[in-house]
Amino acid sequence: MSSVALAIASVFPGVVLQSTGGAEDIASAVLVFLVSLLVGVAAINLGAQVLIDRDTGYRRATVTALVGALVYTLVGFFLGWIPLLGPILMLLAWVAVINWQYPGGWPTAAGIALVAWLGAVLILFGLAQVGFVTPEAMGVPAA
């Protein structure tokens, strides 16, 4: 698998990639990115609508998903290796991006994150049922 595909797959675990070499790896990475971005945007927008009780728009959800993935990855790269603390810091960084983008403070941001996670699991489960992604791609143990 190319380093680009591997990097994108680690940030957006939406589909399991198979290494075929060259252009196919890049196409797979782009597909992983697009599917994961769409799922993330839909899930974050759902969380915001449920907790803020108004439509905040897909543009804000898209910025949140992209910046959140970047921050999550950077924190994971530098601190993710620390047992227990690393994953907690990665999660807090992601919630911090949500807090930055949406009104309501930390409790609301944590609620949006929880609803977004549940929404993403349900969307990926549905995509797995129709054969678009594999169940292992959901990133949820025992799902």
Side-chain angles (χ1 to χ4, degrees), residues 46-73:
L46 172 68
Q49 285 182 352
V50 167
L51 272 97
I52 298 175
D53 198 27
R54 64 185 162 107
D55 185 13
T56 56
Y58 283 99
R59 180 177 293 164
R60 181 178 285 186
T62 302
V63 169
T64 305
L66 287 171
V67 173
L70 177 65
V71 168
Y72 184 88
T73 301

Side-chain angles (χ1 to χ4, degrees), residues 52-108:
I52 298 175
D53 198 27
R54 64 185 162 107
D55 185 13
T56 56
Y58 283 99
R59 180 177 293 164
R60 181 178 285 186
T62 302
V63 169
T64 305
L66 287 171
V67 173
L70 177 65
V71 168
Y72 184 88
T73 301
L74 288 173
V75 172
F77 180 76
F78 290 108
L79 302 172
W81 59 271
I82 303 170
L84 190 61
L85 183 60
I88 291 171
L89 292 174
M90 292 166 66
L91 178 62
L92 283 174
W94 184 59
V95 173
V97 171
I98 295 171
N99 186 40
W100 165 63
Q101 281 291 94
Y102 292 96
W106 284 94
T108 302

Side-chain angles (χ1 to χ4, degrees), residues 109-124:
I112 291 170
L114 179 62
V115 172
W117 179 81
L118 289 170
V121 167
L122 291 174
I123 293 168
L124 289 172

